[in-house]
Each structure stands twice: as C-alpha cells, then as structure tokens.
Amino acid sequence: MDFVKNTFEAIKARAHYLRNWRLFYKWSIAAGLVGVLGGIGALLFSYTLDAITPLFDSVAAALPDPRLIAIIPAAGGLLVGIIRHVWMPEAFCSPCATDAMIDIIHEDGGRSKFKVPFVTILTASITLASGGSAGRECPTALIGTGFGSISSTIIEKLHLDKLLGFSFTKDDVRVLAVCGAAAGIGAVFRAPIGSALFVTSVLYIYGMEYDLVLPSMISSATSYLLFSVFYGFEPLFNAPFIWAFNVFDLSVVLLIGVLASLVGILYLKVFYGIFRRFRSMAMPDWLKPALGGLLMGILVLFIPRVWGMGYGTIQDIIDLQLALPMLLLLVIAKILASSLSIGSGGAGGVIAPSLFIGAALGGAVGTMATQLFPGAEAHPTLYVIAGMGALYASVGKVPLSTAIILCETTRNYTMIIPLIVATTAGFLASGTSTIYESQHADATRETADILRRVPVERVMAKDPFVLREDTSAQDVLRAVGTSGHHGFPVVNDDDHLVGVVSWTDARALPYEERATTPVSEIMTRELIWLRPTDSTRTALDMIEHNKIGRVIIAEPDGKRVLGVVTRADLINAYSEWISAT
C-alpha cells in the first residue's frame, strides 16, 4: 500500500515538474514574440522622436526673438490635439498613457485597438520633441501593450498555439498585454528586471500579480536586448560610487521618503486640478494641448530647465551641479510644467517628471543635510537617487520595482538597501494617493477570487432546453413544469440564438391567447450571453446586475447556444471549490 502511495506521489511531482517546463516553453514563445515586437515598437518610438526633434529645434533656432520659444510647445500641442481628435479622441479622457495601459489590461482583457501604438508613437514624439515637460516611459508602456495585443492576434490568426503545441486562452491575451508593457518599459529604461516587476504591480495600489512575472521577465529581457543592440548598453544615469552600511545615510533617505510623500501629494493635487480644469473648459479638446503647451512654454522663459524630459538636468543634479535655491525652485516648477503639458491633453508620461521632481527634492535635502552635519560620512548622490525613487513610489505605488529600476538604470546595485528604505517610506506615508486613477485597489483580493480564474464552461449546463420561435406561450408554461427551469433560450430555424423567454412573459398573456401566441411575439430580443471562456465571476456579476436567474453561454459569434448557467450553478460550484481547497 505504501509503495502504491509513494508511486502516486512521485507521478504527481513529476507531472508538476513537467507542467512548469510546459509553461516555460509556452511563454518563451508567446512572451518572446511580444518582446521582439515590443522592442521594435520602442525602436520605432525612439527613431521617430530622434527624427522629429531636429525639426522643432530648427524652428526654434529660426525664431526672430528667443522669447517666442513658447510657440514651439504650443505648436506641438496643436498637432497632437488634431491627431488625437481625428484618430484617437478617447485619449483625451486618460490622464496619462499608463492609465490607458491599465484600462486596456483591466477593462478590455488586454485587447487594444490596432491604431493605438502607432498613434501614440506619433503624438508622444511630437509632444516630447516640441519641448513638452513629460516622459517617454508611460507612452512606451502603452505602445508595448498595443504590440502585446497584436501578438495575441498573430498567435490566434496563424494558429501558432496549435502548430507549436501550447494552449492559448482569452486570459493569455491579457498576459501578453502586460508583457508588452514590460517590453516597452524594459527597453527605454534599460531595466529588464525592474520593468517586469513594475508592470505586474502598477496595476494595483497594493500587491502585484506574481504569476505574470515570468512571462513579463522574458518579454522585458528580449526587448531590452533588441533595443540595446541599436541604442547601446550604457546605463541611463551615471552614479559611480560604492555604498556601504551607514546609519546617517539611512536616516537621511528615510527623511527624504517621508518628505517625498508630501511633495507627491502636492503633485497629485496640482496635476489633477489642472487636468480637470482643462477637461471642463468650454473649448474643443483638440485646442487644449496647444493652450497647455503655450503656458508651459511661458514658464520655460523663466525656468529653462523644465523644458523636455529633463534627463540632462537629472544627471546634473546627480553630479551635484545645481545649488540649493535652484533645486527647490525646480521642485515646484516641474510640477507645474508637467501638469500643464500632460494634464492639458499632451501625449506624455509622468514617470520622468516624477524622477525629476524627486531628484531635485533629494538633492535639496541632501545639500541641507551635509551642510548641517559637515562631519558625517555622507553620499549626496545617493540622496538624489533616493529622492527619485521615493517620489515616484509615493505617486505610482510601486516601491520595490522602482528601487530595482533605479539600480538597473545606474548599474549601481550597492544602493538597493537605502533605495528600498526610501521608496517604502514614500509609499507608506502617501497612503492610497495615486497618480494612476485606473489602478485597482488590492491585487491579493482580486487574485484570491477563484471565480475570476475559472471559465464558465466548467460550470454551465450543456445541451440546454431551447425553444423555437413558433413555440406557443402555453408550451412555454408546460416546459417550465417538465424542465424545472423558468427561462429558455429561443432559436430560429437555423438554430441561431434570437431571444430569451421566461415563464413570466408567457403568464402575462390572457389565458385564451396563450395557445395561439408564438414565443417570437413575447420573447426578449436584447440578449445577455457570454462566451464559454468568460469567467464565472463575470457570469455572477451579470446575473446580479441584470437581476436575472441565468445567463446563456453561446459560441463566440453569439449564434449557437452551448449551455446555460444559473445562479444556483455558480453558488454550488463555488462551494465545491472552496471545500476542495
């Protein structure tokens, strides 16, 4: 008996081992494809930005008076507004590109319109090339998500899953969208590990989707390698110092984390105040980015360093090139500049501005700390980078991935402990305040919901009792007695679903009309149905929202009825799953 039991356990262990290899094989192909396409998308974005920037630079150089520089971001905003109005008007409703990316993953199941990545490449390139105070990381994440959706379409249309021997479901479409975002971020940040963690955690204020880390890592690493072949493997920022354990440094970065949360909350209030102000303006949406660009351009006349992405200024702050008054001024100025550029409808992201603001804050706190304690063993460069991480962690709610990304972008992994201290402090002190309105609250609660993970085809009653269009109302009532159900799908002569009828529909007729009235005259034609791959949570939500007793399960085209699932079916199945676990 023990021999049989031990053999069974060995087979189970072996099956689990093989299952892991099958998953690795599957994601090596699917996520690898996304990594290649996402890397190409990042290259297209970078090449487009590199091609458009000289055009705006030449216009700026030709201005008769340097004080007219404000018309450059205004002109860029006007072009972006027109392009969005014509091809992607829904983009005006998203505060930034990462919000649009999160919506695609959470609300659309990873399905993105084909035009989204290409329109985003063009509009984001124009915004940044014309001096918009925004970043390229959020647009690249959205571009990557679009290419992740395209990858799913390629797999489905070419039947690559069947040709190469792996399964591909509706849920995998969402996974590839996440992989696409990781590919985009991993390429432009030169940070494959942190980017994979970033996209699996930025979807939520708390927690992350751990089961998506492997495919995201494959996609991000592939994209990073492809992108770096063309743009080099050099770090994004240079921070050449070695950090050893130091209580003074940890105390300073902890203080920076707390202060960054306060500045982050200020950033959110200004950003969303300007965003909502522009949304409520009584003027066409396509004109609003031009107005935002003009106001930002006027600010540039007084503080030129808020122009563009600001990576050069961030490096200057890291190199301790700016004085304390300028650092404090840049904190406020960059908040205003990025809020005007992005909040008015410009195509850009908030990651680079957040890093800029955080760098200025960290540099200011570090400068004051070293002046107050001249004898302390300090690392001022560390304080700048800690400020970058703490500020973005406080508004983006991604403390761990931000710390790792900054280690990767500087190739300085000795900073990991103080960076985690700073980002965790910023994250905790800022509470639930987030710059991404599309973030869901808690990943743990959502992934713990077993109904989200089980397709409705595992619960539905197959070969359901259906009625024809010419069935009489009286026969409907008889069917209630023989089947025990109170509602039925109705099909036509081609067995295509055309409606649904319930016993209340039939009973509402006068008694003398029930025998002669066909179902086609009393049935409901506004169909509520699901595909077999939809989740049981979707089925239960649909039943509760529409106050119905059952949902029809049909083929993807909605024509042939495959089954019916009732509230009782879902409750019984849920009870069995809970007891089994």
Side-chain angles (χ1 to χ4, degrees):
M1 193 67 181
D2 290 339
F3 172 76
V4 174
K5 181 180 179 181
N6 292 336
T7 302
F8 179 71
E9 293 296 330
I11 293 174
K12 282 179 63 180
R14 181 68 176 172
H16 181 71
Y17 174 75
L18 292 176
R19 177 180 178 273
N20 290 339
W21 275 108
R22 284 196 297 270
L23 286 175
F24 183 74
Y25 169 73
K26 169 183 177 177
W27 294 125
S28 295
I29 296 172
L33 173 63
V34 176
V36 171
L37 293 182
I40 292 174
L43 287 170
L44 285 175
F45 182 22
S46 295
Y47 282 137
T48 303
L49 179 57
D50 291 342
I52 294 178
T53 299
L55 300 178
F56 282 100
D57 288 345
S58 62
V59 173
L63 292 174
D65 189 328
R67 289 173 294 182
L68 296 176
I69 193 67
I71 69 173
I72 302 299
L78 181 61
L79 287 174
V80 169
I82 293 173
I83 293 170
R84 280 187 161 182
H85 176 73
V86 174
W87 284 295
M88 209 165 71
E90 66 275 11
F92 289 115
C93 299
S94 292
C96 85
T98 296
D99 267 301
M101 178 267 287
I102 294 172
D103 280 334
I104 289 172
I105 293 169
H106 276 321
E107 308 302 331
D108 301 326
R111 294 286 186 187
S112 171
K113 294 179 181 178
F114 181 80
K115 63 184 178 182
V116 166
F118 303 102
V119 175
T120 303
I121 287 174
L122 182 58
T123 55
S125 296
I126 293 173
T127 295
L128 298 175
S130 62
S133 188
R136 61 179 177 172
E137 296 78 17
C138 294
T140 311
L142 179 58
I143 292 164
T145 300
F147 279 103
S149 179
I150 291 173
S151 300
S152 296
T153 303
I154 291 173
I155 292 173
E156 293 168 339
K157 295 295 184 182
L158 298 182
H159 303 290
L160 293 183
D161 53 333
K162 295 181 176 60
L163 290 173
L164 299 177
F166 62 86
S167 62
F168 192 78
T169 67
K170 178 184 176 182
D171 291 337
D172 293 334
V173 174
R174 181 177 180 274
V175 175
L176 292 194
V178 174
C179 290
I185 294 289
V188 298
F189 256 143
R190 318 293 210 281
I193 298 174
S195 298
L197 297 175
F198 170 82
V199 296
T200 57
S201 56
V202 77
L203 304 174
Y204 305 93
I205 294 176
Y206 297 111
M208 61 188 297
E209 295 195 36
Y210 298 97
D211 55 338
L212 302 186
V213 172
L214 171 62
S216 296
M217 197 82 73
I218 293 171
S219 175
S220 180
T222 304
S223 175
Y224 159 73
L225 292 172
L226 177 61
F227 185 87
S228 297
V229 166
F230 293 90
Y231 275 88
F233 289 85
E234 296 80 11
L236 197 60
F237 304 112
N238 292 311
F241 71 93
I242 298 176
W243 186 82
F245 184 81
N246 184 317
V247 175
F248 180 79
D249 282 345
L250 293 179
S251 301
V252 175
V253 299
L254 181 61
L255 174 63
I256 289 173
V258 175
L259 293 176
S261 70
L262 300 177
V263 175
I265 292 172
L266 173 64
Y267 183 22
L268 297 181
K269 290 184 179 298
V270 174
F271 180 84
Y272 276 104
I274 290 177
F275 172 74
R276 295 191 172 97
R277 178 64 177 172
F278 272 95
R279 292 302 302 153
S280 63
M281 281 184 178
M283 63 185 297
D285 284 340
W286 57 271
L287 271 178
K288 294 174 183 177
L291 176 59
L294 179 63
L295 295 175
M296 195 283 296
I298 294 172
L299 181 61
V300 168
L301 293 175
F302 301 95
I303 311 172
R305 283 190 177 272
V306 299
W307 178 274
M309 289 186 288
Y311 280 165
T313 297
I314 291 176
Q315 187 61 57
D316 286 344
I317 299 173
I318 291 174
D319 295 336
L320 311 177
Q321 298 296 311
L322 301 185
L324 179 60
M326 176 57 71
L327 292 173
L328 294 173
L329 180 62
L330 287 179
V331 170
I332 303 301
K334 193 65 174 181
I335 289 175
L336 287 172
S338 64
S339 298
L340 288 169
S341 292
I342 306 169
S344 62
V350 298
I351 296 180
S354 298
L355 297 179
F356 185 110
I357 297 164
L361 174 67
V365 174
T367 299
M368 288 186 284
T370 54
Q371 290 176 354
L372 290 173
F373 303 95
E377 183 181 351
H379 294 86
T381 297
L382 170 65
Y383 307 149
V384 174
I385 299 172
M388 295 165 64
L391 195 289
Y392 183 63
S394 70
V395 299
K397 320 316 292 183
V398 281
L400 175 61
S401 61
T402 300
I404 295 175
I405 284 175
L406 289 174
C407 286
E408 290 184 285
T409 56
T410 58
R411 301 292 190 272
N412 190 334
Y413 298 94
T414 65
M415 301 185 296
I416 186 63
I417 291 178
L419 279 181
I420 288 179
V421 170
T423 57
T424 302
F427 167 75
L428 294 176
S430 60
T432 58
S433 301
T434 174
I435 202 163
Y436 301 128
E437 288 189 331
S438 299
Q439 280 180 326
H440 285 200
D442 194 333
T444 304
R445 293 178 182 176
E446 292 199 16
T447 55
D449 185 356
I450 194 170
L451 293 179
R452 293 184 183 274
R453 308 196 302 271
V454 179
V456 75
E457 61 187 345
R458 286 180 51 182
V459 178
M460 69 181 186
K462 299 180 180 179
D463 299 323
F465 198 103
V466 298
L467 300 176
R468 299 283 177 181
E469 286 182 293
D470 56 357
T471 302
S472 69
Q474 184 172 326
D475 288 335
V476 172
L477 296 175
R478 290 172 179 166
V480 172
T482 57
S483 68
H485 296 298
H486 294 82
F488 309 93
V490 181
V491 299
N492 60 18
D493 292 337
D494 296 323
D495 289 330
H496 290 173
L497 179 64
V498 293
V500 62
V501 66
S502 68
W503 72 282
T504 55
D505 298 326
R507 201 177 67 168
L509 288 171
Y511 180 81
E512 61 275 8
E513 296 180 13
R514 294 176 183 175
T516 58
T517 302
V519 163
S520 59
E521 294 185 12
I522 61 172
M523 68 182 183
T524 300
R525 296 183 181 274
E526 295 181 4
L527 296 173
I528 298 175
W529 61 278
L530 293 173
R531 299 175 181 86
T533 55
D534 287 327
S535 71
T536 48
R537 164 57 64 188
T538 303
L540 184 58
D541 290 343
M542 191 171 286
I543 287 173
E544 293 179 346
H545 178 73
N546 294 282
K547 294 180 174 58
I548 55 179
R550 67 205 53 77
V551 173
I552 299 169
I553 312 301
E555 290 181 337
D557 58 6
K559 291 183 178 179
R560 193 168 71 88
V561 178
L562 299 177
V564 172
V565 63
T566 66
R567 183 193 300 269
D569 294 331
L570 295 171
I571 293 174
N572 292 336
Y574 182 77
S575 299
E576 292 177 4
W577 294 329
I578 292 299
S579 61
T581 56

